[in-house]
């Protein structure tokens, strides 16, 4: 089964404060989970699957105008904030063969738990606000 991601790497880096040196391969599984766990519930399975099927059928792009508007203007910003929320753990902690670790460099230190929780909560609030915008858009555009 092909995974139809609702936005691509370019959108992720241009629309967020994430440094472009970040490995996007670490982000994609989080994005997939966020689509399946959050976006599918917001859109409903029939609409979600129709959008996914069109992305797969068209080689990674949408062509139906109503889907393009919905995804580009409403779903992508919501999904982005859910990805930023959920990726915090992935980015802070790394699973290695001997332990779960957090990286430290010569020029920076990882944040503490309270700072981490604040960032996660900040992205959650934004994502939920975008989710409400999607719901209002879908109610106003039921056709």
């Amino acid at each position: 089964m092909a995974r139809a991601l609702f936005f691509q790497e370019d959108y992720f880096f241009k629309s967020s404060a994430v440094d472009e040196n970040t490995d996007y391969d670490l982000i994609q599984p989080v994005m997939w989970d966020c689509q399946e766990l959050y976006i599918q519930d917001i859109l409903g399975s029939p609409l979600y699957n129709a959008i996914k099927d069109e992305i797969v059928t068209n080689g990674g792009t949408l062509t139906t105008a109503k889907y393009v508007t919905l995804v580009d203007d409403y779903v992508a910003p919501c999904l982005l904030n859910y990805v930023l929320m959920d990726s915090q753990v992935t980015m802070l902690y790394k699973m290695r063969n001997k332990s779960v670790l957090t990286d430290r460099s010569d020029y920076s230190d990882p944040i503490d738990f309270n700072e981490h929780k604040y960032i996660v909560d900040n992205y959650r609030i934004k994502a939920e606000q975008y989710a409400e915008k999607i719901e209002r858009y879908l109610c106003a555009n039921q056709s």
Side-chain angles (χ1 to χ4, degrees):
M1 174 182 74
R3 288 190 171 186
L5 298 176
F6 284 15
F7 62 71
Q8 301 302 318
E9 182 175 355
D10 187 53
Y11 177 85
F12 177 76
F13 287 115
K14 286 185 177 180
S15 301
S16 72
V18 177
D19 184 88
E20 289 186 4
N21 289 327
T22 303
D23 186 357
Y24 188 67
D25 290 340
L26 295 173
I27 302 298
Q28 285 181 323
V30 175
M31 185 175 160
W32 178 253
D33 286 345
C34 289
Q35 277 185 201
E36 293 286 306
L37 296 172
Y38 304 114
I39 302 302
Q40 184 173 11
D41 284 350
I42 296 166
L43 297 179
S45 293
L47 178 56
Y48 178 79
N49 289 330
I51 292 170
K52 258 184 21 177
D53 291 344
E54 184 170 315
I55 291 171
V56 170
T57 302
N58 294 323
T61 60
L62 288 170
T63 56
T64 304
K66 63 184 177 182
Y67 292 161
V68 171
T69 300
L70 174 62
V71 171
D72 288 355
D73 295 347
Y74 297 92
V75 174
C78 181
L79 178 58
L80 176 67
N81 281 281
Y82 277 124
V83 169
L84 292 170
M85 176 188 79
D86 275 5
S87 65
Q88 296 301 311
V89 172
T90 304
M91 301 309 293
L92 185 59
Y93 301 106
K94 305 292 184 246
M95 290 187 200
R96 305 288 189 231
N97 60 347
K98 296 189 186 240
S99 177
V100 176
L101 307 167
T102 186
D103 292 333
R104 185 179 315 267
S105 76
D106 292 340
Y107 305 105
S108 63
D109 288 319
I111 61 175
D112 67 32
F113 179 77
N114 289 330
E115 292 170 320
H116 183 256
K117 184 171 176 8
Y118 172 80
I119 292 170
V120 169
D121 288 345
N122 184 50
Y123 286 123
R124 180 186 324 277
I125 290 166
K126 286 181 184 179
E128 289 170 352
Q129 289 172 331
Y130 279 114
E132 288 178 23
K133 286 179 73 172
I134 293 170
E135 291 168 359
R136 286 194 305 270
Y137 176 81
L138 290 174
C139 286
N141 297 280
Q142 291 184 18
S143 62

